[in-house]
Amino acid sequence: MLAEAVAERLGVGVCQSILERFPDSELHAEIDESVRGCDVYLVQPTGPPVDDHLMELIFLADACRRAGAARITGVVPYFGYARQDRRARGREAVGGRIAADLLRTAGIDRVLAVDLHTVSLEGFFGIPLEHVSAVPLLANAIEPLVTDQTVIVSPDLGGVKLAERYGELLRRPIAIAHKVRMNGKEVKVRNIVGDVAERTPMIVDDMISTAGTIAAAAKALLEAGCVREITVAATHALLVGPAMSRLEALPIKRIFATDSLPPPRHGALPIQTVSLAPMLAEAISRLNVDQSMADLLAHR
Ligand code: R5P
């Protein structure tokens, strides 16, 4: 478990909590030891089932606040609802804003988050947000595989900055897939911008959810004549719905992802997990003594 790995690195224990459901499905949260006067770090990714995990986080925060915690930091390695950052069609809720508001309302004083869907989400938080990035960790893990033929691929226009960051760290050129969304579940790639023929692609993204985006990009890359050996890197591996079957049907050699979410049942997928524990432990130890976070932040 990520919280335990972080605590072990910091040389502290994990405070025990009780989370249970009443017969009518209401959540009950309780802290099992004193946190009075403590600097509390609540580690909870709000991945699927998103609402359950979000409720657990805010209930635990409320329990800590009422129990006299001096300061509460929500360590949210994956922040659910981040993709709901604006109204796309009108008459819609902006889920990212609601989730951010809930954290503050529950008594969380600041948030430590990893590779949010967009850096502009910071504006949603009425409390300090420390937004760190796992890209250097993932790039480091990928580096031994990089050759002169490697091209970094963004699977959509929104991911160009992320691809550029990988490109800088790995010193390789980038290509961009022009993705269009057909409906809520289907996407299609119109064309690839950049030189990918006979090159080995590394598709990079902030998350893999249903893998529709990665699959569409991979198919377009294969049609454009790339080498049939694709690597994927994403900070958050949700792998929901048809993700497994979509990825298994493609010549994907390896998938690098972090442990921002509990490991999915990924069958035969060649997933290599890069742990966030060292980075989160480093971030927490700096936050605890008010040291600069500059080199860990996502918007550098
Ligand atoms: C989109 O803008 C994101 O960066 C991801 O590409 C997308 O959310 C992944 O979702 P899926 O795996 O369901 O296509």
Side-chain angles (χ1 to χ4, degrees), residues 1 13 35 46 119 162 165 173 187 190 200 226:
M1 193 173 120
V35 292
T46 53
V119 287
L162 184 73
R165 182 84 181 108
V187 295
R190 282 229 175 96
T200 316
C226 78

Side-chain angles (χ1 to χ4, degrees), residues 83 117 155-156 179 181 187 205-214 246:
R83 286 180 291 178
H117 178 56
D156 55 28
K179 174 178 101 174
R181 186 160 283 285
V187 295
D205 208 345
D206 58 330
M207 69 171 84
I208 312 171
S209 183
T210 64
T213 302
I214 297 292
R246 281 177 171 164

Side-chain angles (χ1 to χ4, degrees), residues 37-64:
C38 292
D39 203 0
V40 173
Y41 292 83
L42 282 174
V43 182
Q44 169 82 316
T46 53
V50 176
D51 294 342
D52 288 356
H53 289 138
L54 183 59
M55 288 300 273
E56 288 174 10
L57 175 60
I58 61 179
F59 272 49
L60 285 173
D62 186 69
C64 290

